[in-house]
Amino acid sequence: MSAASASTPIQVEPISGALGAEVSGIDLGHPLPGQSVAAIRAALLEHAVLFFRDQTLTPEAQIALARHFGELDVHPIVEGLPEHPEIVRVRKPAGESASFGTGWHTDNTFFEAPSLGTILYGLAIPPYGGDTLFASMTRAYDALSDGMKEMLDGLVAVHSAARAYDPAVTGEAKYRGDAPIRYRHSDAIGKEVRHPVVRTHPETGRKGLFVNPMFTLRIDGLHGAESDALLGFLQSHATRPELTCRFRWRPNSLAFWDNRCVQHYAMDDYHEFERVMLRVTISGDRPF
Ligand SMILES: O=C(O)CCC(=O)C(=O)O
Ligand SMILES: [Fe+2]
């Protein structure tokens, strides 16, 4: 009997005061009983990002795992694996700089319906460096003054993929066939979408900040300088160390984050080493 046995409850241990928990006592590489799916979902809602160690998953198993939680996105710009378009291989070759996710962001907020969550699986991990940081957007909202909360509630922000993916910004090399992570030209790059600055989590009902420096261009109705100052303040507030956690990867570690209430940041501090991850995102709802 594997550790996924329905009779073995999972263990959930927080790794910081703000968010994040390491989960053990479960084998994610095989179909999960409904009870285990419910336990993972409950842990995700409580801790916002979950970490699992020593998991053995084929790409098919990673897809099957993610499908327990919803439909999967096919990224409009980042190319997936030929045989599994919903899986993106996040590869950083030895001797290069990382560029994917190397700034604070929430995944795919330039979608009308941004991803519910992301499941990232570590294949090749540097001996040190290449950690991923997470920040709790619900804690960030809760820590604001009533006056600031009142001002933010009702504001709407404009999001777009342009800053992260416009070839004029990223360079054309990423659009060529030999790039470690290959992008494709897409209408999605120039599109602007609008989301509330404060969103209500559809499952927990908790409010959280929903702006990020990678995809949020501006706040509607404010002068450019006001919008920049407000977004700048919110970002430095939301990523205070006390509101974050940091995950040190090992080969076969897996992270599952709730994209509705966290930002994350991939550390680019392992120039000499290779790092390879497989990533799927679960489709989400329109924020409200
Ligand atoms: O490589 C990482 O640690 C995270 C990359 C990222 O931002 C993502 O997979 O969404
Ligand atoms: Fe990301």
Side-chain angles (χ1 to χ4, degrees):
M1 201 73 189
S2 78
S5 163
S7 60
T8 316
I10 61 172
Q11 288 88 53
V12 181
E13 287 183 41
I15 70 158
S16 87
L19 80 169
E22 198 160 316
V23 179
S24 55
I26 190 160
D27 170 7
L28 301 174
H30 295 98
L32 295 177
Q35 234 175 308
S36 299
V37 175
I40 293 173
R41 184 178 285 118
L44 184 69
L45 294 179
E46 186 173 348
H47 299 285
V49 53
L50 303 178
F51 308 107
F52 303 82
R53 298 289 190 188
D54 304 317
Q55 299 292 325
T56 307
L57 281 87
T58 60
E60 292 77 15
Q62 188 174 352
I63 290 172
L65 170 66
R67 289 286 286 103
H68 284 302
F69 301 94
E71 302 289 321
L72 303 193
D73 298 317
V74 173
H75 202 285
I77 305 161
V78 183
E79 297 260 20
L81 298 178
E83 60 282 19
H84 296 296
E86 47 297 69
I87 297 187
V88 167
R89 193 167 65 137
V90 179
R91 184 169 83 90
K92 202 289 285 176
E96 296 189 10
S97 296
S99 62
F100 191 77
T102 51
W104 283 110
H105 66 286
T106 299
D107 289 331
N108 302 335
T109 66
F110 57 92
F111 292 0
E112 300 270 357
S115 308
L116 175 156
T118 301
I119 296 183
L120 189 64
Y121 179 51
L123 293 178
I125 302 297
Y128 51 86
D131 293 356
T132 310
L133 281 64
F134 298 85
S136 168
M137 294 300 110
T138 41
R139 296 253 180 190
Y141 178 78
D142 290 346
L144 294 169
S145 65
D146 289 344
M148 180 59 87
K149 286 178 184 159
E150 229 168 89
M151 190 179 85
L152 296 178
D153 282 331
L155 287 181
V156 169
V158 178
H159 297 241
S160 138
R163 201 179 278 150
Y165 292 113
D166 189 327
V169 180
T170 65
E172 278 289 343
K174 293 208 180 331
Y175 288 76
R176 283 202 296 268
D178 57 351
I181 304 175
R182 188 167 152 194
Y183 297 167
R184 59 175 162 250
H185 295 278
S186 161
D187 291 345
I189 296 171
K191 220 173 121 196
E192 294 192 341
V193 307
R194 286 176 161 73
H195 299 306
V197 168
V198 176
R199 84 177 282 186
T200 302
H201 193 293
E203 293 185 79
T204 65
R206 291 183 66 186
K207 287 183 174 182
L209 292 175
F210 197 65
V211 285
N212 69 88
M214 197 174 284
F215 302 123
T216 309
L217 299 184
R218 61 184 182 276
I219 296 176
D220 262 349
L222 300 188
H223 293 314
E226 294 169 338
S227 172
D228 289 350
L230 184 53
L231 289 171
F233 161 72
L234 292 175
Q235 190 59 27
S236 54
H237 165 76
T239 53
R240 279 165 43 211
E242 292 76 12
L243 302 183
T244 71
C245 72
R246 176 171 179 151
F247 185 57
R248 180 160 186 186
W249 293 88
R250 296 198 300 254
N252 301 314
S253 298
L254 182 145
F256 181 5
W257 59 87
D258 187 336
N259 201 52
R260 299 166 293 189
C261 58
V262 302
Q263 285 190 28
H264 56 283
Y265 181 113
M267 284 285 281
D268 178 21
D269 64 346
Y270 55 104
H271 193 267
E272 60 270 53
F273 303 116
E274 185 190 35
R275 183 172 180 268
V276 183
M277 327 287 280
L278 294 182
R279 171 189 195 260
V280 297
T281 63
I282 300 158
S283 307
D285 305 321
R286 270 205 90 116
F288 57 87

